[in-house]
Amino acid sequence: MQPRKRHVLLLWLLFCSGVAEALEPISTTIAVGMAAALTGILARYQNIFYRFHECCRPEWISFNETRLKTDLESKLFGQHIASRIILKAVNGFMSNDNPKKPLVLSLHGWTGTGKNFVSKLIADSIYAEGMQSSFVHVFTSTLHFPHSEHIATYKSQLQQWVRGNVTNCERSMFIFDEMDKMHPGLIDSIKPYLDYYDKLDGVSYRKSIFIFLSNAGGDGIIQTVLDFWRKGRDRKEIELKDLETALSLSVFNNNK
């Protein structure tokens, strides 16, 4: 018969909270014996406990390359360039036990092209709980950072939030939606977390994932596709190099 989780943990917490210090010598001996027994039980049944509550462990966080590949091929349409690059980037990153920097993806395109959907597919392939995982964090600029006059407060809060969540689990994912509507200086507050640092204030961000979603550059992408169509070329002939220049100019010339 399996031990009931809450009873075992309650006894363990009572002992660890210092109750033993107030007991008589003989009671203390009994308490120590109980603690030793509980330690054995916890060690034996810890895997059972992990099944009840999401933890930053392989049971809950484990990349499934086959699932991501299948989902991108069967559920995402009209994005052959993105599918190929995303699969390669995520697979390479998650297969590396010691990455030099976090994985940073910037997805661009008009509304409805699948940016949020791709983020979900990535989360589903890594976290057992998918987008509902407590280690996946979504920020929407118009919802979480609506007032430009509070930019200083937002910067501080964002830094604390990212730092706290990565401290809790190094395999955290952060999704920033509506980047084109975000205050220009806000993302600068987390820029150091995206670079090549072993640790910042004792925290390593190298195993985290940052995904930025933006409508910026959508016009350039559409124009490139239109040019291919006018020349009678197949859409699947478009390569990343055909989009990079137009996309870069469109994004970097944007006032925001």
Side-chain angles (χ1 to χ4, degrees), residues 154-253:
Y154 293 153
K155 284 184 177 182
S156 177
Q157 291 175 340
L158 183 56
Q159 287 178 326
Q160 293 175 16
W161 184 255
V162 172
R163 184 186 302 116
N165 281 291
V166 175
T167 300
N168 182 46
C169 182
E170 60 184 359
R171 284 293 189 188
S172 293
M173 176 185 290
F174 302 92
I175 301 172
F176 293 84
D177 197 6
E178 299 183 343
M179 281 293 295
D180 49 305
K181 298 180 179 67
M182 188 174 290
H183 189 283
L186 184 57
I187 203 64
D188 291 340
S189 64
I190 66 167
K191 185 179 182 299
Y193 305 152
L194 312 181
D195 286 332
Y196 294 87
Y197 292 108
D198 287 338
K199 289 185 177 181
L200 288 172
D201 295 329
V203 180
S204 174
Y205 299 86
R206 294 183 300 164
K207 291 187 177 182
S208 300
I209 298 176
F210 294 82
I211 302 179
F212 302 109
L213 312 180
S214 175
N215 290 343
D219 290 342
I221 295 173
I222 294 300
Q223 185 59 54
T224 299
V225 175
L226 184 59
D227 290 342
F228 267 69
W229 177 77
R230 286 171 174 167
K231 296 176 182 178
R233 300 179 62 182
D234 191 281
R235 190 175 188 279
K236 291 186 177 180
E237 294 181 43
I238 301 175
E239 298 180 10
L240 180 61
K241 63 181 180 180
D242 299 313
L243 296 168
E244 284 180 315
T245 300
L247 181 58
S248 297
L249 289 174
S250 178
V251 172
F252 287 109
N253 288 335

